[in-house]
Amino acid sequence: MTANRRFRNVIRIGPVQVGTSYDGQGREKHTAACTAPRCGFSSDYDSRAAAELAARTHRCPVR
């Protein structure tokens, strides 16, 4: 099942985009996702600071 989310407050840190959305229960979630080809990194966080930290420290395994 895919999640159709409307992201707001989207920023880009290197190849990673960080955005804020609401989950199915109405709670605010922050997502960090790498846009590099064949990387596949994506994760949800409860705080914006955690998502931005993950974006800053992410290293793509694919070169």
Side-chain angles (χ1 to χ4, degrees), residues 6-51:
R6 298 190 74 179
F7 289 99
R8 58 187 169 84
N9 197 11
V10 177
I11 63 167
R12 187 177 186 100
I13 301 172
V16 181
Q17 286 188 335
V18 177
T20 303
S21 66
Y22 290 104
D23 66 358
Q25 284 75 35
R27 293 179 300 230
E28 195 173 61
K29 291 290 184 178
H30 309 277
T31 302
C34 186
T35 59
R38 299 185 315 269
C39 179
F41 169 75
S42 173
S43 190
D44 289 334
Y45 298 94
D46 289 332
S47 72
R48 179 78 181 198

